[in-house]
Amino acid sequence: MDTIGLDDFSFFSFLKEEDLLRLKEISIKKQYNKGEILFYKGDKPRYLHLLIKGIVKLYTYDYKDNEVVIHNLLAPSLIAEIANYEEVCFPANCAFETNAEVLLIDYEKFKEEFLLKPEISMFFIKSLTKKIKFLENFISYNISSNSIEKIAKFLYDNEEILINLKQVKISQILNIRAETFSRKLATLKKEGIIQNEKGYIKILDHKKLKELITN
């Protein structure tokens, strides 16, 4: 296991130093490679997972066995903490999109010693609310939006991770055929909204991109 420093707990910077030291005592830091699995749908959570470096995806499969990406998480972020909080099995698979580092926090000890602290409870609520809002947007845009709007929404909301996602990966995340995705990107590029080189996308005109999003 890798050595843990207090700087690894910057996500919990609002806690007192003695609390951070205790978190350190009940945690393990592990490195993962791109493509590795953190957990599978149906696994019972033992740890609270804190992503401190890298990007992960939460995904499942549809009835045709096609991969459906539910969420991409960029460090620092808790991963699927609802499963811990509700004490249920993980509702989706989790895999690494890049090399990454994760803190594995013993959840039973975390629950006993930290979860009842007001600042931790509020922190959990805010984290869960943010993810619920993301899921609502995900469902809304996948059901009702046209392809150009879905692309614009994804690029605008996920600019920080575009440098790590090739075009083909984004088309898979959005469930848009590669040919359709390529045509829409060509339109955005022609209008000076994006630039795409070597399979990666860069936003050039944020205002025009946002105008393509209805909400």
Side-chain angles (χ1 to χ4, degrees):
M1 303 299 171
D2 296 314
T3 303
I4 303 176
L6 287 185
D7 55 332
D8 290 320
F9 293 95
S10 59
F11 197 63
F12 293 106
S13 59
F14 55 88
L15 291 176
K16 297 177 181 177
E17 185 174 349
E18 57 261 36
D19 289 329
L20 295 175
L21 288 170
R22 179 55 183 154
L23 271 180
K24 178 181 176 181
E25 290 175 351
I26 64 173
S27 301
I28 300 168
K29 183 164 75 171
K30 290 187 66 176
Q31 293 189 353
Y32 293 87
N33 295 319
K34 179 179 179 180
E36 282 194 80
I37 301 295
L38 181 60
F39 54 75
Y40 288 100
K41 179 178 180 180
D43 285 350
K44 187 175 180 179
R46 177 183 171 190
Y47 298 103
L48 178 65
H49 299 91
L50 175 57
L51 180 68
I52 55 176
K53 286 185 181 179
I55 303 169
V56 299
K57 66 176 178 181
L58 294 169
Y59 67 100
T60 186
Y61 294 95
D62 64 17
Y63 70 99
K64 292 184 178 179
D65 207 32
N66 296 311
E67 181 181 295
V68 178
V69 176
I70 300 170
H71 202 171
N72 283 276
L73 296 173
L74 179 70
S77 178
L78 292 173
I79 305 172
E81 67 273 24
I82 185 63
N84 297 100
Y85 193 75
E86 294 290 334
E87 298 186 357
V88 297
C89 295
F90 288 117
N93 308 303
C94 180
F96 294 92
E97 295 281 40
T98 65
N99 292 343
E101 291 183 0
V102 176
L103 284 176
L104 308 175
I105 304 171
D106 186 311
Y107 185 67
E108 284 302 314
K109 293 177 181 177
F110 180 86
K111 181 173 68 172
E112 292 172 5
E113 301 178 36
F114 289 92
L115 201 53
L116 293 181
K117 291 178 181 289
E119 60 270 38
I120 288 288
S121 296
M122 183 56 65
F123 183 73
F124 250 68
I125 290 170
K126 287 181 179 179
S127 180
L128 291 170
T129 300
K130 183 178 179 181
K131 285 169 182 167
I132 290 170
K133 184 176 180 181
F134 178 91
L135 184 58
E136 288 175 345
N137 288 337
F138 173 84
I139 293 171
S140 173
Y141 274 89
N142 274 278
I143 291 175
S144 61
S145 302
N146 58 45
S147 56
I148 196 71
E149 184 178 0
K150 286 170 66 175
I151 293 169
K153 173 71 173 174
F154 181 87
L155 297 181
Y156 193 85
D157 288 348
N158 297 279
E159 183 175 11
E160 287 181 311
I161 63 174
L162 294 182
I163 193 172
N164 295 292
L165 296 176
K166 285 199 170 185
Q167 293 175 195
V168 63
K169 185 64 183 178
I170 298 175
S171 68
Q172 291 171 357
I173 291 172
L174 296 176
N175 294 313
I176 297 175
R177 292 181 60 183
E179 298 84 355
T180 301
F181 187 71
S182 181
R183 288 199 303 271
K184 300 303 181 182
L185 286 187
T187 299
L188 294 176
K189 185 175 181 179
K190 184 177 180 180
E191 294 177 1
I193 297 174
I194 66 163
Q195 171 183 310
N196 58 325
E197 294 182 356
K198 297 181 180 179
Y200 294 95
I201 301 169
K202 180 180 179 180
I203 301 173
L204 299 178
D205 194 324
H206 294 78
K207 183 179 179 181
K208 285 185 178 179
L209 187 66
K210 191 173 184 180
E211 288 173 354
L212 297 173
I213 306 169
T214 56
N215 294 305

